[in-house]
Amino acid sequence: MTADLSASDDTPLRADARRNRDQIIGAAKKMFAERGPDVPMEEIARRAEVGVGTLYRRFPDRDALIRAVVRDNMADALAYARAAAVEEPTGWSALVRLLSHSTELGLSVRLSMLSPTVRKTLHGDPVLRELRSALLTAFETIVGTAQAEGSLRTDVSASDVAIVYALLLRQPQTMADSTAQLATGRALALVLEGLRARPDAPPDALPGRRLTAADLLLD
Amino acid sequence: MTADLSASDDTPLRADARRNRDQIIGAAKKMFAERGPDVPMEEIARRAEVGVGTLYRRFPDRDALIRAVVRDNMADALAYARAAAVEEPTGWSALVRLLSHSTELGLSVRLSMLSPTVRKTLHGDPVLRELRSALLTAFETIVGTAQAEGSLRTDVSASDVAIVYALLLRQPQTMADSTAQLATGRALALVLEGLRARPDAPPDALPGRRLTAADLLLD
DNA sequence: GTGAAGCGGAATGATCTCCTCCACATGCCT
DNA sequence: AGGCATGTGGAGGAGATCATTCCGCTTCAC
């Protein structure tokens, strides 16, 4: 899924190794999303159908794995956001598409927001910094477009949207999957309703000030 | 804070013991909220300014503590919801007050929703069952009133509101407290905006079906 | 003043994870 | 085909972390 935005390694990696690497990242992504950043390495390996040794050869420690997962995830989210911006006819529909689909974006945001430890790990990674800034730019484009066309209320910033989004994405895990999905869908629809521009409403109804990129993640 | 809704113990508990017990519950509540249901018992004890021994004498194991905390929390939330229902002039303002304040309600909902383990612990506790049902009733009263007065959209149920609420309450912990509060406040305002009845809007704009009490927590 | 109830926190033992290491397997290049 | 560099699995050592107990001392209540 990920383009090679990471610093190109010198050795091209053997075919099976590459496959295993991808499986590991995929498994780790799911496990992190479901059970937080502390899942045992061994379980990740098992889910990836790989030995622990393999996992450790590819990623020297947990931090490296987390970084890789978040990078991969961010890259996916970025691709998705850009696609939405380009392919959708209106800013509003791009916004809807962005918010509706991407569990992708959710994971990395959630991961990096929830645990102080993880934040420390991610902190200062240059690739991530670049990805994040690109993602925020994409977000801003969409939000800007939607606001310019008069469909999105103007007293929110891209960061506002991102945060609400992140808050909503945490899926309740105790319900049946179908129920959880239903609930998330409805919650999302409600938020979108709240985000819609109202010609009659006062222009600055929200409390406080617009959130900024700096509020989003403090490095 | 809590009325004695729990089964009355036979021995009245010495004054200092009672105080310690309350401190423990208070500390545990905060720690669970901040760091999840797995925080070490010792840290809870330290925060409560109490020895581990004391903690264990009062609560034979972690499960007992969790149960006690959630009960206490639910009771608070219930009291709060009832107060809002009675004291506020309109259903809408009661709803706003309910959603705006009560981090209380948030904790127990969050705790019981997030971890399957915790859910198992809580499952079948009769006191809790009663509390929860009373709370949902209070919720329904408020939601019903607000809908009857025409301020709340009619295609949501009390359970819908409760879930959105629970989703939003999870505070991002990596931001400065002030920022987190700001973000939560704005998110809440957006959701409220989405919840408001619109005379012009179609009456059933939300996807799926209304959530029910059964969706909320499956026992 | 005195006995019962309560307290603290060091010590114990069990559990859990990370991570290394190496005999073996597999892809790749010629 | 064949050789070897690259890659693989997973048992086990080392260490960390926690829950829980226990008992000499303190505090309340009468």
Side-chain angles (χ1 to χ4, degrees), chain A residues 98-115:
Chain A
L98 188 60
L99 295 198
S100 302
H101 161 96
S102 85
T103 319
E104 309 303 336
L105 178 56
L107 170 63
S108 44
V109 176
R110 216 183 317 155
L111 261 188
S112 55
M113 285 210 321
L114 285 187
S115 145

Side-chain angles (χ1 to χ4, degrees), chain A residues 107-179:
Chain A
L107 170 63
S108 44
V109 176
R110 216 183 317 155
L111 261 188
S112 55
M113 285 210 321
L114 285 187
S115 145
T117 320
V118 171
R119 217 177 68 72
K120 213 175 305 163
T121 298
L122 262 35
H123 178 258
D125 178 319
V127 177
L128 255 172
R129 187 184 298 273
E130 203 171 332
L131 279 172
R132 189 175 51 215
S133 126
L135 182 58
L136 193 60
T137 302
F139 237 91
E140 275 163 356
T141 305
I142 293 180
V143 165
T145 307
Q147 284 174 333
E149 78 197 16
S151 51
L152 173 65
R153 56 191 303 160
T154 54
D155 54 357
V156 296
S157 66
S159 303
D160 277 313
V161 176
I163 284 205
V164 174
Y165 178 54
L167 284 178
L168 277 184
L169 264 190
R170 157 159 292 274
Q171 295 214 354
Q173 303 186 329
T174 359
M175 322 186 192
D177 274 3
S178 62
T179 309

Side-chain angles (χ1 to χ4, degrees), chain A residues 113-114 119 153 155 160 163 167 170 173-175 186 189-190 193-194 198 206-207 209-211, chain B residues 113-114 119 153 155 160 163 167 170 173-175 186 189-190 193-194 198 206-207 209-210 218:
Chain A
M113 285 210 321
L114 285 187
R119 217 177 68 72
R153 56 191 303 160
D155 54 357
D160 277 313
I163 284 205
L167 284 178
R170 157 159 292 274
Q173 303 186 329
T174 359
M175 322 186 192
R186 288 172 74 81
L190 280 175
E193 216 45 47
R198 310 275 170 192
L206 292 184
R209 56 169 174 76
R210 265 162 258 252
L211 294 180
Chain B
M113 285 210 322
L114 286 187
R119 217 176 69 70
R153 56 191 303 160
D155 55 357
D160 277 313
I163 284 205
L167 284 178
R170 158 160 290 276
Q173 303 185 328
T174 359
M175 319 187 195
R186 287 172 74 80
L190 281 175
E193 215 47 45
R198 310 274 170 191
L206 292 185
R209 56 169 174 75
R210 264 163 259 251
L218 24 111

Side-chain angles (χ1 to χ4, degrees), chain A residues 73-86:
Chain A
N73 189 244
M74 274 279 194
D76 280 0
L78 177 57
Y80 194 84
R82 283 180 173 161
V86 170

Side-chain angles (χ1 to χ4, degrees), chain B residues 5-195:
Chain B
L5 286 183
S6 41
S8 53
D9 295 295
D10 6 28
T11 4
L13 217 50
R14 225 168 65 180
D16 55 345
R18 164 108 219 146
R19 194 178 333 124
N20 279 334
R21 195 189 119 93
D22 291 349
Q23 280 173 12
I24 291 174
I25 290 199
K29 190 186 296 194
K30 284 178 197 147
M31 308 272 301
F32 285 150
E34 290 169 9
R35 303 178 35 191
D38 292 329
V39 285
M41 297 296 249
E42 194 181 330
E43 292 195 38
I44 297 179
R46 198 177 318 142
R47 178 132 169 201
E49 303 184 66
V50 142
V52 217
T54 305
L55 175 47
Y56 272 96
R57 188 157 349 83
R58 212 49 68 197
F59 306 97
D61 55 20
R62 172 181 239 92
D63 278 3
L65 178 59
I66 292 185
R67 259 195 307 276
V69 168
V70 174
R71 279 184 186 185
D72 181 272
N73 188 245
M74 274 279 194
D76 280 0
L78 177 58
Y80 194 84
R82 283 179 172 164
V86 170
E87 295 168 15
E88 290 293 325
T90 69
W92 182 257
S93 64
L95 194 64
V96 171
R97 168 161 159 189
L98 189 60
L99 296 197
S100 301
H101 162 97
S102 85
T103 320
E104 308 306 335
L105 178 56
L107 169 64
S108 45
V109 176
R110 215 184 315 155
L111 261 188
S112 56
M113 285 210 322
L114 286 187
S115 146
T117 319
V118 172
R119 217 176 69 70
K120 214 174 305 162
T121 298
L122 263 34
H123 178 260
D125 178 319
V127 178
L128 255 174
R129 188 183 297 273
E130 203 172 331
L131 280 172
R132 189 173 52 217
S133 125
L135 182 57
L136 193 61
T137 302
F139 237 92
E140 275 163 356
T141 305
I142 293 179
V143 165
T145 307
Q147 285 174 333
E149 78 197 14
S151 51
L152 173 65
R153 56 191 303 160
T154 54
D155 55 357
V156 296
S157 66
S159 303
D160 277 313
V161 176
I163 284 205
V164 173
Y165 178 53
L167 284 178
L168 276 183
L169 264 191
R170 158 160 290 276
Q171 294 215 357
Q173 303 185 328
T174 359
M175 319 187 195
D177 274 3
S178 61
T179 309
Q181 231 169 326
L182 178 59
T184 309
R186 287 172 74 80
L188 212 57
L190 281 175
V191 170
L192 279 170
E193 215 47 45
L195 284 172

